[in-house]
Amino acid sequence: MLAVYAEHVDQDNPLSGLRVGERPVPETPPGWTRVRVEAASLNHHDIWSLRGAGLPAKRLPMILGGDAAGYDEDGQPVVVHSVIADPDTVGDETFDPKRTLLSEFHQGTFAKYVVVPRRNVVRRPSSLSATDAACLSTSWLTAYRMLFTRSGLRAGDTVLIQGPAAEWPPR
């Protein structure tokens, strides 16, 4: 299958390790599901991976990408959540000390297919395009963590958001 992957890491010239080419279709372990990727979004994590942060040479080649939207094995539209936690984790998976992100230990989303634990797919509402949904997972998690964990914001509180960068939706 066609994929975008890291062939080697380079701290000073990270894009030198980036490749586009054929990679094997991933096997689907028990409790996981295969998602046919319709859209994936670029995240700064991909650049850090190409620099070797969290991705040592012994795990290469590695398909990059953590965020995606597509279709599960039943043909249902889904959004992929990129945090892979221990299966026994209860509660907020991002606090699991054994957690990892797609493209660190498991092949990522910049390919025709990605496999993830079943609990890592969320039904995509019909009002949300695959392109928009593919940008949600990491962005949403970062915003949620800032607002509700770091700032102490609680239901009913008011937040001032200054200087929106662009009109939404874009024209």
Side-chain angles (χ1 to χ4, degrees), residues 22-40:
E22 292 296 317
R23 299 296 309 142
V25 174
E27 297 292 323
T28 308
W32 290 49
T33 188
R34 182 178 292 157
V35 174
R36 181 174 51 84
V37 176
E38 183 178 7

Side-chain angles (χ1 to χ4, degrees), residues 41-99:
S41 62
L42 184 63
N43 191 289
H44 202 74
H45 173 74
D46 302 304
I47 300 298
W48 284 110
S49 295
L50 287 164
R51 287 186 169 137
L55 184 58
K58 66 183 179 182
R59 287 195 221 127
L60 298 174
M62 177 65 72
I63 298 172
L64 298 173
D67 300 327
Y71 295 91
D72 68 11
E73 294 169 319
D74 297 324
Q76 297 299 313
V78 295
V79 179
V80 173
H81 177 54
S82 63
V83 177
I84 310 293
D86 184 284
D88 297 326
T89 298
V90 177
D92 188 338
E93 296 175 338
T94 62
F95 291 126
D96 174 10
K98 298 177 184 174
R99 65 133 172 38

Side-chain angles (χ1 to χ4, degrees), residues 118-139:
R118 288 189 191 283
R119 70 185 192 178
N120 281 58
V121 294
V122 178
R123 179 77 60 96
R124 177 172 39 110
S126 60
S127 60
L128 196 58
S129 74
T131 305
D132 290 343
C135 297
L136 284 179
S137 183
T138 302
S139 298

